Amino acid sequence: VQLVESGGGSVQAGGSLRLSCAASGFNFGVYVIAWFRQAPGKEREWISCFNSSDSSTYYSTSAKGRFTISTDPTKGTVDLLMNSLGPGDTAHYYCAADDGRVGNCPRNAKFYDFWGQGTQVAVSS
């Protein structure tokens, strides 16, 4: 399984970015793909998740109403559209994946076996 993130960059507060997670090598009938972020000196934070079993989506409190997770089967990606960005969103963003046996979108990073290298997001005020 290989995960490759893209779409990070620098934006001003109030701006938007779309992150993409290109997934390959999946042999899972059911899978979950989550987005995490980690800012310097802070723990890795769960942001959002997609569960393929029923196409359900989940968001953290900080992401709800601003971020949208979606899949693009033609590209084989799971995207995270981020709107109304603020300096507090500055972090390295990662996508993580595992099969459906990990449960319904767990929020603890330890449950995910597969990780991308991440993409950096910087939001200036």
Side-chain angles (χ1 to χ4, degrees), residues 11-16 84-87 123-125:
V11 296
Q12 290 190 327
S16 300
S84 302
L85 288 165
V123 184
S124 58
S125 58

Side-chain angles (χ1 to χ4, degrees), residues 27-96:
N27 293 315
F28 309 139
V30 174
Y31 60 88
V32 295
I33 292 186
W35 282 96
F36 288 80
R37 69 185 181 187
Q38 189 165 19
K42 294 188 177 182
E43 293 187 355
R44 193 162 293 192
E45 177 189 7
W46 178 90
I47 295 298
S48 182
C49 184
F50 171 82
N51 188 326
S52 74
S53 66
D54 58 1
S55 297
S56 55
T57 59
Y58 302 90
Y59 299 94
S60 67
T61 300
S62 63
K64 192 172 293 184
R66 298 190 302 133
F67 295 1
T68 303
I69 192 169
S70 62
T71 62
D72 188 334
T74 62
K75 297 180 180 178
T77 63
V78 176
D79 298 342
L80 186 68
L81 175 62
M82 306 186 296
N83 295 320
S84 302
L85 288 165
D89 296 310
T90 294
H92 205 72
Y93 284 70
Y94 301 87
C95 64

Side-chain angles (χ1 to χ4, degrees), residues 7-26:
S10 299
V11 296
Q12 290 190 327
S16 300
L17 283 173
R18 179 185 291 273
L19 307 183
S20 287
C21 175
S24 60
F26 268 41

